Amino acid sequence: MTVKDHYTVVVVDDHPLFRRGVHELLDLEPSIELVGEAGTREEALDLVRRYEPDLTILDLNMKGSSGVEILATLKEEDPSRRIVILTVSDSGKDLTACIQAGADGYFLKDMEPEDFLKSIRQTLEGQIIVDASMMAFLTTSLRAKMRSAVQERPVLTEREGDVLELIAKGCTNKVIARQLDISEGTVKGHVKHILKKLGCRSRVEAAVWAAQQKEVH
């Protein structure tokens, strides 16, 4: 199986100086190409729709718009889009809102540059990156939400069940493809269908749903 060695990224932040810093950091990673920068909601939506990047790095607090609203709009159009939040907020409420809106990661702006690049690489490979100190809060919050939701148990195909089990274990798309002997493109398709059937907007919510089902059954 061919391993992807080139990824495209869009950065959305209303501070030009901060965007420049992220740009310079991403330039240190040969496999990543920054294809666009946006400072407003309209620019962000246009760039992502035009380039369909492998990853969008999105600021939470944008002038004149909410990062959560931009995130929700892009995920509503295509749940398979990979979008991470990069923010100064360590609020559990903000974290939960972003994950429920479909974020594939939640990074704090005070993280070390080398940790940032490592997290970006892991996210591009399909991993879910959330600050460890906030993960316990997130898991508790999402489980409470799912317990209160009244819905029929969705029917997954056997293959979708296999993929979901590996998602719950924190496996990347690449690892899932290798484990199941299928292509990464096929994995992405399965993930998209799983999220739609479960009514989830992110792999995080899908993983929590899977864990919750094991507790119930």
Side-chain angles (χ1 to χ4, degrees):
M1 181 182 66
T2 302
V3 177
K4 188 168 184 179
D5 58 4
H6 178 264
Y7 298 97
T8 54
V9 173
V10 163
V11 174
V12 181
D13 194 292
D14 57 2
H15 291 87
L17 187 61
F18 185 79
R19 292 201 307 271
R20 174 64 64 85
V22 173
H23 189 162
E24 292 178 353
L25 271 176
L26 294 178
D27 280 346
L28 298 175
E29 178 53 62
S31 65
I32 295 177
E33 177 189 1
L34 181 63
V35 295
E37 298 178 28
T40 67
R41 175 185 183 278
E42 291 71 25
E43 290 174 347
L45 296 180
D46 177 65
L47 280 175
V48 173
R49 289 164 179 164
R50 188 192 318 167
Y51 291 107
E52 290 296 342
D54 294 302
L55 180 67
T56 298
I57 301 173
L58 175 64
D59 184 26
L60 179 59
N61 299 306
M62 302 274 291
K63 290 180 181 177
S65 182
S66 161
V68 174
E69 189 274 332
I70 297 173
L71 168 66
T73 297
L74 291 172
K75 282 287 190 171
E76 186 70 28
E77 293 175 356
D78 185 353
S80 70
R81 284 172 173 155
R82 298 196 65 72
I83 304 172
V84 297
I85 299 296
L86 184 59
T87 179
V88 297
S89 175
D90 60 358
S91 162
K93 182 178 179 181
D94 285 339
L95 168 65
T96 303
C98 288
I99 297 299
Q100 291 180 343
D104 298 286
Y106 193 92
F107 306 158
L108 298 180
K109 287 185 176 181
D110 62 358
M111 68 194 307
E112 294 296 327
E114 56 269 24
D115 292 334
F116 170 76
L117 279 178
K118 179 181 178 181
S119 295
I120 291 297
R121 285 193 297 266
Q122 291 174 324
T123 303
L124 284 166
E125 292 175 352
Q127 287 186 297
I128 301 162
I129 308 297
V130 176
D131 187 271
S133 64
M134 305 181 76
M135 184 56 83
F137 175 90
L138 173 65
T139 301
T140 300
S141 175
L142 289 180
R143 283 181 176 173
K145 172 198 170 190
M146 291 178 182
R147 284 196 187 100
S148 65
V150 178
Q151 59 181 11
E152 294 184 6
R153 180 182 174 89
V155 179
L156 302 179
T157 66
E158 182 177 354
R159 178 63 83 191
E160 288 169 348
D162 294 337
V163 172
L164 178 58
E165 183 177 352
L166 292 171
I167 289 175
K169 292 179 179 178
C171 295
T172 65
N173 286 352
K174 182 166 63 178
V175 171
I176 293 174
R178 187 165 61 244
Q179 291 274 353
L180 301 180
D181 196 25
I182 56 179
S183 71
E184 286 189 64
T186 299
V187 173
K188 288 182 180 180
H190 285 312
V191 172
K192 185 175 181 179
H193 293 148
I194 290 168
L195 294 181
K196 183 176 181 180
K197 287 184 177 181
L198 299 185
C200 297
R201 292 195 176 185
S202 72
R203 295 164 73 100
V204 178
E205 283 196 304
V208 173
W209 183 91
Q212 181 66 27
Q213 293 307 302
K214 286 187 177 182
E215 290 181 4
V216 172
H217 300 283

PDB file of all heavy atoms in Angstrom, residues 157-178:
ATOM      1  N   THR A 157     -22.732  -2.180   9.041  1.00  0.00           N
ATOM      2  CA  THR A 157     -22.307  -3.398   8.370  1.00  0.00           C
ATOM      3  C   THR A 157     -21.165  -4.014   9.175  1.00  0.00           C
ATOM      4  O   THR A 157     -20.597  -3.372  10.073  1.00  0.00           O
ATOM      5  CB  THR A 157     -21.799  -3.093   6.945  1.00  0.00           C
ATOM      6  OG1 THR A 157     -20.595  -2.303   7.042  1.00  0.00           O
ATOM      7  CG2 THR A 157     -22.850  -2.332   6.141  1.00  0.00           C
ATOM      8  N   GLU A 158     -20.855  -5.251   8.872  1.00  0.00           N
ATOM      9  CA  GLU A 158     -19.769  -5.921   9.593  1.00  0.00           C
ATOM     10  C   GLU A 158     -18.453  -5.160   9.427  1.00  0.00           C
ATOM     11  O   GLU A 158     -17.706  -4.979  10.392  1.00  0.00           O
ATOM     12  CB  GLU A 158     -19.600  -7.349   9.080  1.00  0.00           C
ATOM     13  CG  GLU A 158     -18.517  -8.139   9.829  1.00  0.00           C
ATOM     14  CD  GLU A 158     -18.424  -9.576   9.354  1.00  0.00           C
ATOM     15  OE1 GLU A 158     -19.267 -10.005   8.523  1.00  0.00           O
ATOM     16  OE2 GLU A 158     -17.498 -10.293   9.805  1.00  0.00           O
ATOM     17  N   ARG A 159     -18.187  -4.691   8.205  1.00  0.00           N
ATOM     18  CA  ARG A 159     -16.950  -3.952   7.952  1.00  0.00           C
ATOM     19  C   ARG A 159     -16.936  -2.626   8.706  1.00  0.00           C
ATOM     20  O   ARG A 159     -15.921  -2.223   9.274  1.00  0.00           O
ATOM     21  CB  ARG A 159     -16.771  -3.718   6.451  1.00  0.00           C
ATOM     22  CG  ARG A 159     -15.533  -2.910   6.108  1.00  0.00           C
ATOM     23  CD  ARG A 159     -14.260  -3.642   6.538  1.00  0.00           C
ATOM     24  NE  ARG A 159     -13.851  -4.611   5.544  1.00  0.00           N
ATOM     25  CZ  ARG A 159     -12.919  -5.529   5.750  1.00  0.00           C
ATOM     26  NH1 ARG A 159     -12.343  -5.613   6.924  1.00  0.00           N
ATOM     27  NH2 ARG A 159     -12.585  -6.385   4.813  1.00  0.00           N
ATOM     28  N   GLU A 160     -18.075  -1.944   8.737  1.00  0.00           N
ATOM     29  CA  GLU A 160     -18.164  -0.683   9.480  1.00  0.00           C
ATOM     30  C   GLU A 160     -17.931  -0.914  10.964  1.00  0.00           C
ATOM     31  O   GLU A 160     -17.293  -0.103  11.647  1.00  0.00           O
ATOM     32  CB  GLU A 160     -19.528  -0.023   9.250  1.00  0.00           C
ATOM     33  CG  GLU A 160     -19.688   0.561   7.848  1.00  0.00           C
ATOM     34  CD  GLU A 160     -21.119   0.974   7.523  1.00  0.00           C
ATOM     35  OE1 GLU A 160     -22.036   0.603   8.298  1.00  0.00           O
ATOM     36  OE2 GLU A 160     -21.321   1.639   6.495  1.00  0.00           O
ATOM     37  N   GLY A 161     -18.423  -2.047  11.471  1.00  0.00           N
ATOM     38  CA  GLY A 161     -18.188  -2.387  12.870  1.00  0.00           C
ATOM     39  C   GLY A 161     -16.711  -2.601  13.152  1.00  0.00           C
ATOM     40  O   GLY A 161     -16.195  -2.176  14.199  1.00  0.00           O
ATOM     41  N   ASP A 162     -16.030  -3.242  12.204  1.00  0.00           N
ATOM     42  CA  ASP A 162     -14.587  -3.456  12.352  1.00  0.00           C
ATOM     43  C   ASP A 162     -13.847  -2.115  12.388  1.00  0.00           C
ATOM     44  O   ASP A 162     -12.949  -1.904  13.207  1.00  0.00           O
ATOM     45  CB  ASP A 162     -14.050  -4.294  11.184  1.00  0.00           C
ATOM     46  CG  ASP A 162     -14.594  -5.716  11.179  1.00  0.00           C
ATOM     47  OD1 ASP A 162     -15.015  -6.189  12.257  1.00  0.00           O
ATOM     48  OD2 ASP A 162     -14.591  -6.339  10.108  1.00  0.00           O
ATOM     49  N   VAL A 163     -14.229  -1.219  11.478  1.00  0.00           N
ATOM     50  CA  VAL A 163     -13.582   0.095  11.408  1.00  0.00           C
ATOM     51  C   VAL A 163     -13.847   0.886  12.691  1.00  0.00           C
ATOM     52  O   VAL A 163     -12.936   1.503  13.254  1.00  0.00           O
ATOM     53  CB  VAL A 163     -14.083   0.890  10.179  1.00  0.00           C
ATOM     54  CG1 VAL A 163     -13.550   2.326  10.216  1.00  0.00           C
ATOM     55  CG2 VAL A 163     -13.643   0.208   8.888  1.00  0.00           C
ATOM     56  N   LEU A 164     -15.096   0.859  13.162  1.00  0.00           N
ATOM     57  CA  LEU A 164     -15.443   1.593  14.382  1.00  0.00           C
ATOM     58  C   LEU A 164     -14.654   1.084  15.579  1.00  0.00           C
ATOM     59  O   LEU A 164     -14.189   1.869  16.416  1.00  0.00           O
ATOM     60  CB  LEU A 164     -16.948   1.476  14.655  1.00  0.00           C
ATOM     61  CG  LEU A 164     -17.443   2.173  15.931  1.00  0.00           C
ATOM     62  CD1 LEU A 164     -17.113   3.654  15.903  1.00  0.00           C
ATOM     63  CD2 LEU A 164     -18.944   1.958  16.096  1.00  0.00           C
ATOM     64  N   GLU A 165     -14.497  -0.228  15.664  1.00  0.00           N
ATOM     65  CA  GLU A 165     -13.727  -0.806  16.774  1.00  0.00           C
ATOM     66  C   GLU A 165     -12.294  -0.289  16.774  1.00  0.00           C
ATOM     67  O   GLU A 165     -11.729   0.019  17.832  1.00  0.00           O
ATOM     68  CB  GLU A 165     -13.739  -2.326  16.670  1.00  0.00           C
ATOM     69  CG  GLU A 165     -13.026  -3.020  17.832  1.00  0.00           C
ATOM     70  CD  GLU A 165     -13.118  -4.532  17.750  1.00  0.00           C
ATOM     71  OE1 GLU A 165     -13.848  -5.043  16.883  1.00  0.00           O
ATOM     72  OE2 GLU A 165     -12.436  -5.204  18.560  1.00  0.00           O
ATOM     73  N   LEU A 166     -11.704  -0.172  15.592  1.00  0.00           N
ATOM     74  CA  LEU A 166     -10.329   0.316  15.492  1.00  0.00           C
ATOM     75  C   LEU A 166     -10.259   1.815  15.749  1.00  0.00           C
ATOM     76  O   LEU A 166      -9.289   2.323  16.328  1.00  0.00           O
ATOM     77  CB  LEU A 166      -9.756  -0.026  14.116  1.00  0.00           C
ATOM     78  CG  LEU A 166      -9.537  -1.527  13.882  1.00  0.00           C
ATOM     79  CD1 LEU A 166      -9.168  -1.811  12.431  1.00  0.00           C
ATOM     80  CD2 LEU A 166      -8.448  -2.057  14.815  1.00  0.00           C
ATOM     81  N   ILE A 167     -11.291   2.563  15.352  1.00  0.00           N
ATOM     82  CA  ILE A 167     -11.356   3.996  15.668  1.00  0.00           C
ATOM     83  C   ILE A 167     -11.365   4.177  17.181  1.00  0.00           C
ATOM     84  O   ILE A 167     -10.680   5.031  17.730  1.00  0.00           O
ATOM     85  CB  ILE A 167     -12.620   4.641  15.059  1.00  0.00           C
ATOM     86  CG1 ILE A 167     -12.495   4.741  13.539  1.00  0.00           C
ATOM     87  CG2 ILE A 167     -12.868   6.028  15.655  1.00  0.00           C
ATOM     88  CD1 ILE A 167     -13.743   5.261  12.848  1.00  0.00           C
ATOM     89  N   ALA A 168     -12.167   3.354  17.856  1.00  0.00           N
ATOM     90  CA  ALA A 168     -12.279   3.439  19.314  1.00  0.00           C
ATOM     91  C   ALA A 168     -10.958   3.135  20.011  1.00  0.00           C
ATOM     92  O   ALA A 168     -10.714   3.588  21.135  1.00  0.00           O
ATOM     93  CB  ALA A 168     -13.365   2.485  19.808  1.00  0.00           C
ATOM     94  N   LYS A 169     -10.096   2.371  19.338  1.00  0.00           N
ATOM     95  CA  LYS A 169      -8.781   2.052  19.899  1.00  0.00           C
ATOM     96  C   LYS A 169      -7.752   3.132  19.588  1.00  0.00           C
ATOM     97  O   LYS A 169      -6.582   3.018  19.971  1.00  0.00           O
ATOM     98  CB  LYS A 169      -8.293   0.713  19.349  1.00  0.00           C
ATOM     99  CG  LYS A 169      -9.101  -0.485  19.832  1.00  0.00           C
ATOM    100  CD  LYS A 169      -8.570  -1.782  19.226  1.00  0.00           C
ATOM    101  CE  LYS A 169      -9.366  -2.988  19.735  1.00  0.00           C
ATOM    102  NZ  LYS A 169      -8.893  -4.256  19.132  1.00  0.00           N
ATOM    103  N   GLY A 170      -8.192   4.180  18.854  1.00  0.00           N
ATOM    104  CA  GLY A 170      -7.296   5.283  18.535  1.00  0.00           C
ATOM    105  C   GLY A 170      -6.435   5.062  17.309  1.00  0.00           C
ATOM    106  O   GLY A 170      -5.437   5.755  17.107  1.00  0.00           O
ATOM    107  N   CYS A 171      -6.813   4.093  16.474  1.00  0.00           N
ATOM    108  CA  CYS A 171      -6.017   3.790  15.286  1.00  0.00           C
ATOM    109  C   CYS A 171      -6.194   4.865  14.209  1.00  0.00           C
ATOM    110  O   CYS A 171      -7.277   5.417  14.031  1.00  0.00           O
ATOM    111  CB  CYS A 171      -6.428   2.442  14.701  1.00  0.00           C
ATOM    112  SG  CYS A 171      -6.073   1.038  15.778  1.00  0.00           S
ATOM    113  N   THR A 172      -5.135   5.134  13.483  1.00  0.00           N
ATOM    114  CA  THR A 172      -5.190   6.064  12.370  1.00  0.00           C
ATOM    115  C   THR A 172      -5.800   5.372  11.160  1.00  0.00           C
ATOM    116  O   THR A 172      -5.922   4.140  11.128  1.00  0.00           O
ATOM    117  CB  THR A 172      -3.782   6.560  11.996  1.00  0.00           C
ATOM    118  OG1 THR A 172      -3.009   5.432  11.518  1.00  0.00           O
ATOM    119  CG2 THR A 172      -3.070   7.170  13.193  1.00  0.00           C
ATOM    120  N   ASN A 173      -6.173   6.173  10.158  1.00  0.00           N
ATOM    121  CA  ASN A 173      -6.700   5.582   8.917  1.00  0.00           C
ATOM    122  C   ASN A 173      -5.689   4.633   8.301  1.00  0.00           C
ATOM    123  O   ASN A 173      -6.043   3.587   7.759  1.00  0.00           O
ATOM    124  CB  ASN A 173      -7.044   6.695   7.922  1.00  0.00           C
ATOM    125  CG  ASN A 173      -8.313   7.430   8.308  1.00  0.00           C
ATOM    126  OD1 ASN A 173      -9.022   7.027   9.218  1.00  0.00           O
ATOM    127  ND2 ASN A 173      -8.593   8.513   7.613  1.00  0.00           N
ATOM    128  N   LYS A 174      -4.418   5.011   8.361  1.00  0.00           N
ATOM    129  CA  LYS A 174      -3.366   4.176   7.787  1.00  0.00           C
ATOM    130  C   LYS A 174      -3.293   2.826   8.490  1.00  0.00           C
ATOM    131  O   LYS A 174      -3.171   1.778   7.845  1.00  0.00           O
ATOM    132  CB  LYS A 174      -2.021   4.899   7.882  1.00  0.00           C
ATOM    133  CG  LYS A 174      -0.853   4.142   7.267  1.00  0.00           C
ATOM    134  CD  LYS A 174       0.362   5.045   7.091  1.00  0.00           C
ATOM    135  CE  LYS A 174       0.882   5.563   8.417  1.00  0.00           C
ATOM    136  NZ  LYS A 174       2.084   6.404   8.238  1.00  0.00           N
ATOM    137  N   VAL A 175      -3.368   2.844   9.810  1.00  0.00           N
ATOM    138  CA  VAL A 175      -3.315   1.601  10.584  1.00  0.00           C
ATOM    139  C   VAL A 175      -4.562   0.754  10.321  1.00  0.00           C
ATOM    140  O   VAL A 175      -4.479  -0.464  10.162  1.00  0.00           O
ATOM    141  CB  VAL A 175      -3.173   1.892  12.085  1.00  0.00           C
ATOM    142  CG1 VAL A 175      -3.346   0.615  12.903  1.00  0.00           C
ATOM    143  CG2 VAL A 175      -1.820   2.528  12.385  1.00  0.00           C
ATOM    144  N   ILE A 176      -5.721   1.404  10.258  1.00  0.00           N
ATOM    145  CA  ILE A 176      -6.961   0.675   9.986  1.00  0.00           C
ATOM    146  C   ILE A 176      -6.880  -0.007   8.618  1.00  0.00           C
ATOM    147  O   ILE A 176      -7.256  -1.170   8.466  1.00  0.00           O
ATOM    148  CB  ILE A 176      -8.171   1.629  10.034  1.00  0.00           C
ATOM    149  CG1 ILE A 176      -8.380   2.144  11.458  1.00  0.00           C
ATOM    150  CG2 ILE A 176      -9.434   0.918   9.547  1.00  0.00           C
ATOM    151  CD1 ILE A 176      -9.466   3.200  11.580  1.00  0.00           C
ATOM    152  N   ALA A 177      -6.369   0.732   7.626  1.00  0.00           N
ATOM    153  CA  ALA A 177      -6.236   0.172   6.283  1.00  0.00           C
ATOM    154  C   ALA A 177      -5.334  -1.054   6.293  1.00  0.00           C
ATOM    155  O   ALA A 177      -5.632  -2.071   5.649  1.00  0.00           O
ATOM    156  CB  ALA A 177      -5.685   1.239   5.341  1.00  0.00           C
ATOM    157  N   ARG A 178      -4.235  -0.961   7.029  1.00  0.00           N
ATOM    158  CA  ARG A 178      -3.293  -2.083   7.096  1.00  0.00           C
ATOM    159  C   ARG A 178      -3.917  -3.267   7.825  1.00  0.00           C
ATOM    160  O   ARG A 178      -3.784  -4.421   7.395  1.00  0.00           O
ATOM    161  CB  ARG A 178      -2.008  -1.626   7.782  1.00  0.00           C
ATOM    162  CG  ARG A 178      -0.905  -2.683   7.754  1.00  0.00           C
ATOM    163  CD  ARG A 178       0.442  -2.095   8.110  1.00  0.00           C
ATOM    164  NE  ARG A 178       0.467  -1.521   9.441  1.00  0.00           N
ATOM    165  CZ  ARG A 178       0.656  -0.233   9.705  1.00  0.00           C
ATOM    166  NH1 ARG A 178       0.814   0.639   8.727  1.00  0.00           N
ATOM    167  NH2 ARG A 178       0.693   0.207  10.946  1.00  0.00           N
TER     168      ARG A 178
END
